[in-house]
Amino acid sequence: MKTIKKFFQNEVLSYLFFGVATTLIFFVIKMITYKMTNSGLWSDIIANTVAIIFAFVTNKLWVFNTEESSKSIWSEFVQFVSSRLVLMGLSALANWYFVDKNPQIITNSFGVSKDTAVAILTIVIQFLTIVINYLVSKFFVFRNKK
């Protein structure tokens, strides 16, 4: 039990843990909604919306441990969502271009099905997103104002 508690006291390790959890949630919702809508764009928007809310709660409560007034919570939420909306926009654009309009770029380049191309694109984008989101959260959104 002490090992688990110590693990979550390390900011980078807890961020990675919840980042992976967020990515898994995103990935599962993305693939389910892609199967339902057959749209890279809409499945990405839906999955990102759920992932952003989950990530805010976990980052606020367990990763960066910021304890502020409700006004600060609202401010953090707006900053958090704003930063993620930029990446969500880039992700949605990539999905629109590489999945909805030009799937042959990935399918032909890697010799894979369209479903696999969606999975490959999602994994690459999520990896980049985790790194960028950590930096933005650490230095701009959840910084302890002392």
Side-chain angles (χ1 to χ4, degrees):
M1 193 63 146
K2 284 184 179 182
T3 304
I4 293 172
K5 188 174 181 177
K6 190 173 182 176
F7 176 88
F8 283 105
Q9 287 176 339
N10 182 303
E11 182 179 282
V12 173
L13 293 178
S14 62
Y15 183 83
L16 287 174
F17 175 82
F18 287 113
V20 168
T22 301
T23 300
L24 290 173
I25 289 168
F26 173 87
F27 189 78
V28 168
I29 292 172
K30 163 94 181 191
M31 298 313 290
I32 290 170
T33 56
Y34 175 73
K35 286 288 189 186
M36 292 169 53
T37 65
N38 202 32
S39 170
L41 174 64
W42 286 108
S43 62
D44 195 71
I45 290 170
I46 293 165
N48 258 307
T49 300
V50 173
I52 287 169
I53 294 167
F54 177 80
F56 177 77
V57 171
T58 58
N59 283 332
K60 173 75 178 155
L61 297 177
W62 297 296
V63 176
F64 298 106
N65 299 311
T66 57
E67 296 177 16
E68 310 290 333
S69 69
S70 60
K71 181 179 179 188
S72 292
I73 291 170
W74 177 247
S75 175
E76 286 176 343
F77 183 74
V78 169
Q79 289 176 326
F80 187 86
V81 170
S82 297
S83 67
R84 270 138 177 95
L85 286 177
V86 170
L87 290 173
M88 181 176 159
L90 293 173
S91 178
L93 181 64
N95 274 274
W96 170 80
Y97 186 78
F98 290 111
V99 175
D100 296 340
K101 295 297 179 192
N102 301 294
Q104 72 280 2
I105 292 173
I106 297 175
T107 59
N108 293 345
S109 296
F110 295 99
V112 297
S113 69
K114 189 174 178 185
D115 287 350
T116 304
V118 171
I120 290 169
L121 182 63
T122 300
I123 291 167
V124 169
I125 290 171
Q126 285 303 296
F127 174 77
L128 294 171
T129 299
I130 287 173
V131 173
I132 293 167
N133 283 338
Y134 174 76
L135 296 172
V136 169
S137 291
K138 171 77 175 162
F139 296 110
F140 297 106
V141 178
F142 294 112
R143 66 181 184 266
N144 284 320
K145 298 150 187 108
K146 293 181 180 179

